[in-house]
Amino acid sequence: MASVKFAVVDANDFLSKKQAADPELAADWAKLEELYNKKLWHQITIKLQEMVNYPSQQSGDNLIQLYNNFITVFENKINPLSLVEIIAHVVQQFTDKKEAIAFLEKVEGKVKMNAEALALCKVLQGQIYLEQLIDMDATEKIIEELEGTLEDADGVTPVHGRFYKLAAEYYRVRGPMDKYYRAALRYVGCARGGEDLALPERRACALRLALAAVIAPTVYDLGELLAHPILESLEGTPDAWACELVKAVAAGDIVAFEKIRTQAPHPELHKADRQLRQKIAILCLMEMAFNRTSAQRKLTFAEIAREARVPRDEVELLVMKALAEKLIRGHIDQVSECVSVKWVRPRALNRAGAAALARRLDTWCTAVAGAASLLSRAAPDLLTL
């Protein structure tokens, strides 16, 4: 069983033995010794970050021995975040994962003055709890502890991507689906829109995001995902249908949704049928209101029932749900069986939607210019009254 102790030999003696025992990396060990003797802590950190990725060092307990006999001597002199990034490789060689957790808890005390290093230390613990120990409660506790801290941080730090990956994996297993969707979308954003991910992972992530966007009951802004470059990774693959599925749901097109769903090999799309249909109907209602000018946003129950493909006696409940979720604002006239919509929640628009909005703005500008012209002509008569 691997364990972490203080250095048991002199650092120079350890490096000398490594040069003799490992001829292939003798030059690297010699370089480490030179940097150590010169006390060039930044340069030695860079060299260590390079060496921990060597395949020969990632076997057995090589990295644990490196930490025990060398890094512990000067770990308080190097950047705390860089130290934890090196330790991220070291903990992978612990056969006893509970001991790995105990080791990381000790490291916390050494880097607690650096918020990013401390957060990364906790993320590493969360990964072990989730993937190795299958302790969901401990993982949840870490996610809840870090969520507010990282969201309040200025900009995006190197820790954000790892945290959002941990959160996404946790919510994918335990739910809810809307939290998985938001965490996964942020994780992909930290990976330069998915460019930093290997192609198989990028495609798997794109498919899971598409399914989550459709299934999650509180996710109504699907335009954000449709505009995301990660969906392009599904083009030309057997999962290309997922992109069309998201488009159909975003448009509130129940007919297109049903057609695509019959060909989709995912049972999740059939489990919550009533909930899915209600979500698509609400999106259809939002689309109907958005596509009309402010003067034409009086929708009859009959129109909504026809477009959203819902029974007429369920229209009022559908509108009430949209109002309760703050997706639209307006009021229901039960006597006239119509809905007056004054506002629709802003959403990410595709090019066609943006073009329609631009045309509407042009019309509004023309109307404002006409009103200004009329006022300027009538002003003299008004002023002489």
Side-chain angles (χ1 to χ4, degrees), residues 353-368:
L357 187 60
R359 289 194 295 271
R360 196 175 304 169
L361 284 172
D362 287 341
T363 303
W364 178 80
C365 289
T366 302
V368 169

Side-chain angles (χ1 to χ4, degrees), residues 194-222:
E195 289 184 17
D196 293 343
L197 305 179
L199 185 58
E201 183 183 359
R202 195 186 319 158
R203 287 176 174 172
C205 192
L207 178 60
R208 288 195 295 263
L209 273 169
L211 289 172
V214 171
I215 296 169
T218 61
V219 174
Y220 290 95
D221 187 2
L222 280 71

Side-chain angles (χ1 to χ4, degrees), residues 4 9-10 34 92 107 131 138 177 193 211 348-350:
V4 176
V9 297
D10 178 74
E34 177 190 347
Q92 293 177 15
V107 173
E131 299 169 8
M177 190 61 73
L211 289 172
L349 300 175
N350 56 22

Side-chain angles (χ1 to χ4, degrees), residues 232-249:
E232 296 174 3
S233 63
L234 295 178
E235 293 178 0
T237 72
D239 294 322
W241 56 267
C243 300
E244 299 304 315
L245 184 74
V246 177
K247 290 178 184 177
V249 174

